[in-house]
Amino acid sequence: MAKLFEPITIGNLTLANRIVIAPMCQYSAEDGRMTDWHAMHLGNLAQSGAGILTIEATAVAPEGRISYADVGLWDDETETAMGKVLESVRRWSDMPIAIQLGHAGRKASTAKPWDGGGQIAPYAENGWQTVSASALPFLAHENAPQALDKAGLDRIRDAFADAARRAARLGIDAVQIHGAHGYLLHQFLSPLSNRREDEYGGSLENRMRFPLEVYDAVRAAFPADKPVTMRVSGTDWVEGGWDIEQTVAFAKALEARGCAAYHVSSGGLDAGQKIPVGPNYQVPLARKVKEAVSMPVIAVGLITEPEQAEAIVATGEADMIGLARTVLYDPRWPWHAAAALGATVKAAPQFLRCQPRVYKDLFVQA
């Protein structure tokens, strides 16, 4: 069997294969509440044959949204809206569902990407005052964030825990904490955005402190038999910024706390980043982490071909691969990968008759 289609266990959760549908913001929520778009979008991906489906970056507080149209999980209304979507999806699919919980920090209060994606000023419609580790804007011309004081840190930490409890009530199978792409927890980790002089800034130990406090709070709030994972940027791609050595140190600290998996991406923190974009460009970062820890590691980044994905897991560079834009473009990518690699994949009975004649053993009925 192709390694990509072998089962894998994360914590106590066993996945049918190594394909992770990564979080993909849809910018289609209303005041944090999921809409029919999310039922259609997630329902479609839940029929893909992947091992697990991850709900898009979900803000733990209104000011933590990337844009005003982002999904949230901070009150009964947002929880109810998400519950309705999940009920619809689960009626037709038993695919495990994870959620990515996050806070955008200084990269919050933006327009939708198709409206330009720029920051919206606090005094403008759909805008608000952002917060961060330090009062340093992402771009020089933007409104500066407010540096969080201890009360603010405690409030956000508790918001992560509350969202995790809501996720548990919704029956979500796993939580991924968003510590990547220049959002709040990454803003604490990187010395480029964290210039604090208290116990949350300066040394690597201090810069890791708040993200680890958030992890501990989420881990305590989410059922012990369900996995909590972390997504990180393996490097800022900027001299003097967050790098792979610090990423490995963070991974070891998380593993010691029981982290179930580590999803390695990169970049997003500094406008000066120089990213060598190309197929597999982030996979070496995942490999470095995998060499240092025993928890499963997820690789991501321009993984588009079945043979490419198979090579990553078969050679031990990572334990799983994450797909975002690839599966958004081709929601049946796992079917096509199974066909190319001679594997089998689950398909709903409504789809069985579309199995191509040349792949007589491709589908297993869900």
Side-chain angles (χ1 to χ4, degrees), residues 265-334:
S265 188
S266 71
L269 181 107
D270 193 285
Q273 64 188 15
K274 292 180 172 57
I275 305 177
V277 176
N280 284 18
Y281 74 102
Q282 294 173 145
V283 174
L285 301 171
R287 183 178 65 242
K288 285 284 189 181
V289 173
K290 184 166 169 52
E291 291 170 353
V293 299
S294 58
M295 62 179 165
V297 174
I298 304 164
V300 68
L302 284 183
I303 299 170
T304 59
E305 303 302 322
E307 296 80 7
Q308 176 190 11
E310 171 68 10
I312 291 167
V313 295
T315 59
E317 291 188 286
D319 299 285
M320 293 172 280
I321 59 104
L323 301 178
R325 285 171 290 182
T326 294
V327 80
L328 198 60
Y329 180 74
D330 178 6
R332 299 292 179 265
W333 191 93

Side-chain angles (χ1 to χ4, degrees), residues 87 104 111 174 179 188 201 224 226 262 265 287 291:
E87 181 183 10
F188 273 85
K226 293 186 174 185
Y262 203 60
S265 188
R287 183 178 65 242
E291 291 170 353

